[in-house]
Amino acid sequence: SFTTTTTTRTTTNIHPTAVVDPTATIHNTAQVGPFSYLGPNVTIGKGTNIGAHCTILNCNLGSRVILHSGVRIGQDGFGFFPTTSSPSSSTTPTSTTTAPKKKPQELRVDIQDDVEIGSNTTIDRGSWRDTTIGTGTKIDNLVQIGHNVIIGKFCLVAAQTGIAGSTVIGNEVLIGGQVGVAQHLKIGDGARVAAKSGVVSNVHAKQTVGGYPAVDIGIFRRQSVEARRKGKGKKDKEKEKERGKNN
C-alpha cells in the first residue's frame, strides 16, 4: 500500500495523483507532479522538482534537481548473456537453443545536486556500480544513459544522444545532438563531441572530435572537405558527359 499521510503528501508539494511508496524520503520543499511514481527507498533532496508522468526507481536525487515530464530513472539496464546453441549448419533456432539470459541489475542511480534532465530521457540503474550524474550537469530530451555510466560535473548532453553502459565521461564535457557513445569508453575533462558523431574509442581531455567513427576535429574537417571535393568532381564529370551526348 502507498502512503497518503500529510507527512509525505500535501496539496502544495505532491500532486494528489502521484504515487509514492511509503519507504520513499522526500524533502518537504520538493515538488512532485501529476501521475509520477516514486518507488521504494527513493530519496528526493531539497528544492527538487519532478514533472508529470515521471518514474523514479532505485535512485537518489540531490538538491535542486529538475526532472521534466516523462523522465525514467532507475529501471534495469540492457544486460544479457547472448543466445547459445549446439553446433548446427542451420541458422534457424532449434530446440537446443537457449534464450539470452538476463544479467542482474541490482544497484542504483545517483543524481547529484543542480542536475536538469529533459523530457523522456532514460537513465538505467547500475549492475556493478551505481550510474552517476554529476553536479550541475544538464541533459536534454530523449537521451539514453546506460547502466554503470558515470557523467562528471557541469556537462551538457544534447537531445537524442545514447551513451552505452560503463562509459566514464569527465567534467565539463559537451556532447552534441544524436551522438552515439560505445560502451566502456573514457571521455576526458573538457572534451567536445560534434553532433551526429559515433564515438568508438577514448577521447582525450580537451579534445574535440567529430564524424563516424569520431576522429579529431581537424581530421574530420579535412575529410569533409575532401568528400565534398570528390563529390563535386564526380558531378562535374557527369555534367560534361551529358553535354557530350547532347552535342
Side-chain angles (χ1 to χ4, degrees):
S1 62
F2 297 100
T3 183
T4 56
T5 63
T6 55
T7 56
T8 58
R9 182 188 297 269
T10 72
T11 56
T12 58
N13 72 334
I14 300 179
H15 194 275
T17 62
V19 178
V20 180
D21 188 273
T23 62
T25 302
I26 305 172
H27 194 276
N28 60 14
T29 61
Q31 305 284 324
V32 181
F35 300 103
S36 286
Y37 172 65
L38 277 61
N41 302 309
V42 163
T43 62
I44 310 297
K46 179 180 179 180
T48 286
N49 191 321
I50 298 172
H53 294 276
C54 293
T55 303
I56 313 300
L57 305 168
N58 310 302
C59 180
N60 305 319
L61 294 181
S63 298
R64 301 173 301 280
V65 172
I66 299 172
L67 304 184
H68 293 278
S69 58
V71 167
R72 303 286 187 256
I73 297 177
Q75 60 284 332
D76 284 358
F78 189 75
F80 295 89
F81 296 103
T83 297
T84 59
S85 60
S86 58
S88 172
S89 59
S90 173
T91 58
T92 304
T94 67
S95 59
T96 59
T97 300
T98 60
K101 184 178 179 181
K102 189 176 181 67
K103 296 179 180 179
Q105 311 287 314
E106 298 177 347
L107 299 180
R108 294 177 68 82
V109 178
D110 182 23
I111 308 292
Q112 298 177 0
D113 297 344
D114 300 304
V115 169
E116 183 166 348
I117 300 173
S119 294
N120 298 316
T121 283
T122 62
I123 303 176
D124 295 338
R125 70 191 295 196
S127 62
W128 61 272
R129 67 182 176 201
D130 289 347
T131 303
T132 302
I133 311 298
T135 299
T137 284
K138 313 299 182 184
I139 299 171
D140 201 355
N141 304 329
L142 297 168
V143 172
Q144 156 65 16
I145 297 174
H147 55 190
N148 314 312
V149 166
I150 295 177
I151 298 179
K153 299 178 180 179
F154 310 121
C155 297
L156 296 176
V157 182
Q160 297 186 334
T161 286
I163 302 172
S166 302
T167 282
V168 177
I169 296 174
N171 300 323
E172 301 179 38
V173 172
L174 306 182
I175 299 179
Q178 296 187 327
V179 167
V181 182
Q183 70 273 20
H184 295 277
L185 298 182
K186 292 183 179 180
I187 298 179
D189 293 348
R192 298 185 177 193
V193 183
K196 293 182 176 288
S197 296
V199 181
V200 296
S201 59
N202 294 337
V203 178
H204 300 305
K206 298 187 182 301
Q207 184 181 17
T208 300
V209 298
Y212 184 85
V215 293
D216 186 84
I217 196 66
I219 296 173
F220 171 63
R221 287 170 177 162
R222 289 193 293 273
Q223 289 174 340
S224 298
V225 170
E226 182 65 14
R228 286 196 296 269
R229 187 188 66 79
K230 287 182 177 179
K232 184 176 183 300
K234 184 177 180 180
K235 288 180 180 179
D236 289 344
K237 288 180 181 179
E238 289 174 351
K239 287 179 180 178
E240 288 176 7
K241 187 177 180 180
E242 189 65 27
R243 283 197 296 266
K245 287 182 179 179
N246 294 334
N247 292 335

